Amino acid sequence: MGRHRAANPLDSLTPHERRVLSMVAEGRSNRRIAQELNVKISTVERQFTVIAEKLGLTDATDLDRRSVNLRVLATLAYLRAGP
């Protein structure tokens, strides 16, 4: 019997969403990401919201969200998933 690896949470992301997430993980601001991708900041914000939802990071209550930074949680998910 072999061990089954847990599904990679990044598998649900499109290549573009992975790119945005990698930029977030590198510490880039929404403004910088928007500049590099030649899109509006609001587009990056929407994309990050979708990424957070796909990674299951938006289930926290409003109280929890004040004490937890979604960008940090997304970065941790990215790093845990590996290359």
Side-chain angles (χ1 to χ4, degrees), residues 3-72:
R3 286 179 69 182
H4 294 283
R5 274 186 81 171
N8 185 336
L10 303 185
D11 288 345
S12 65
L13 303 180
T14 66
H16 180 75
E17 290 166 342
R18 280 179 172 240
R19 182 170 181 211
V20 171
L21 179 56
S22 72
M23 295 168 118
V24 168
E26 291 170 356
R28 293 187 177 120
S29 67
N30 287 351
R31 177 185 300 268
R32 182 69 180 156
I33 294 169
Q35 289 171 340
E36 290 186 31
L37 298 177
N38 199 28
V39 298
K40 295 180 180 181
I41 294 172
S42 61
T43 301
V44 174
E45 291 168 348
R46 275 192 310 271
Q47 290 169 338
F48 184 74
T49 298
V50 170
I51 291 166
E53 288 173 355
K54 286 185 175 183
L55 295 178
L57 303 177
T58 59
D59 294 337
T61 65
D62 288 335
L63 180 61
D64 292 336
R65 283 194 194 141
R66 281 183 258 153
S67 63
V68 176
N69 186 319
L70 289 179
R71 291 175 75 89
V72 172

